Amino acid sequence: MITLYTWATPNGRKVSIMLEECGLRYSVKSIDISRGDQFDPAFLALNPNNKIPVLVDDEGPDGAPITLFESGAILVYLAAKTGKLLPIDDRGRFEALQWLMFQMGGLGPMLGQAHHFLRFAPEAVPYAMKRYSDEARRLYSVLEGRLAQHEWLAADTYTIADIAAFPWIDRHDHQQIDLADYPKVQAWHARIAQRPAVQRGMKVPA
């Protein structure tokens, strides 16, 4: 059995989408980050960095349980476990990993800061609002350029790179981004949003 410790955030939803796409059975433990559940000692024993998601697989690579944190690492693990959504050829695999790292190192952190300063900060900080809004638009432009040439982010097929980016783009309203300004991103988002596994994964936790 796989257990997913998660909350309704883009990083959490990456993993629930992946689990649904792979057809794996899993149970869900809700970690309410608005209530501070991520600081509970029991959760910190799973992830000392007090972040969701965490995945515990009772049947790890050697048959023994494995605990993983960091959503990108979890996506790579599940792709390896199932043989799905990560190309097996070297060129395609590294291309997908490249765009996964783009999401992990840039798209997620920068859009997360835009979320914070535009929507949740207790007081307006104009410098930060402009800085992260500008960076959000730059990153959307990078995606737009890529998707103008390719249907998917990597290897001309739907991969973990698309799964990683989708939940962040799905919150474009939080970033004060109009997807109509990025028509290729908008079309890519629509293609992914139509997938039944994505629709199920986006509802986790209930």
Side-chain angles (χ1 to χ4, degrees):
M1 176 61 72
I2 291 172
T3 304
L4 173 63
Y5 296 79
T6 191
W7 193 240
T9 70
N11 284 333
R13 285 171 169 165
K14 294 178 202 174
V15 178
S16 53
I17 289 171
M18 183 66 174
L19 287 164
E20 293 289 342
E21 289 281 12
C22 292
L24 292 168
R25 293 180 59 235
Y26 66 103
S27 63
V28 175
K29 300 287 188 182
S30 294
I31 304 298
D32 187 343
I33 61 176
S34 67
R35 197 173 60 191
D37 290 357
Q38 69 273 32
F39 300 107
D40 185 275
F43 184 74
L44 288 172
L46 301 174
N47 182 3
N49 195 33
N50 60 268
K51 303 288 185 182
I52 63 95
V54 169
L55 183 136
V56 178
D57 185 356
D58 290 343
E59 296 182 358
D62 53 2
I66 187 171
T67 299
L68 293 168
F69 58 86
E70 288 297 328
S71 57
I74 295 171
L75 294 182
V76 173
Y77 171 75
L78 292 173
K81 181 180 179 73
T82 62
K84 296 179 179 180
L85 297 165
L86 184 61
I88 60 173
D89 66 289
D90 286 346
R91 184 172 297 274
R93 184 170 70 257
F94 287 121
E95 192 172 273
L97 291 173
Q98 168 184 265
W99 284 96
L100 175 64
M101 295 305 108
F102 167 81
Q103 187 284 309
M104 295 295 297
L107 194 69
M110 295 300 101
L111 297 189
Q113 292 296 326
H115 288 186
H116 178 77
F117 286 105
L118 294 173
R119 192 177 178 95
F120 300 115
E123 60 184 41
V125 185
Y127 173 80
M129 293 167 70
K130 182 180 187 304
R131 173 181 172 84
Y132 292 112
S133 292
D134 288 349
E135 182 63 2
R137 287 190 291 270
R138 188 191 73 80
L139 291 165
Y140 271 80
S141 294
V142 172
L143 292 177
E144 183 73 7
R146 175 65 175 177
L147 293 167
Q149 302 296 323
H150 301 270
E151 185 177 10
W152 305 104
L153 287 180
D156 291 319
T157 189
Y158 177 67
T159 70
I160 58 174
D162 301 288
I163 290 173
F166 174 80
W168 285 101
I169 302 305
D170 194 62
R171 289 196 171 177
H172 57 91
D173 57 328
H174 284 30
Q175 304 139 21
Q176 298 181 7
I177 294 287
D178 184 350
L179 280 188
D181 293 337
Y182 305 91
K184 299 301 183 182
V185 176
Q186 186 176 48
W188 167 87
H189 176 271
R191 287 194 296 275
I192 297 176
Q194 292 170 359
R195 297 177 68 91
V198 172
Q199 294 170 9
R200 293 192 301 271
M202 288 293 285
K203 296 176 182 177
V204 176

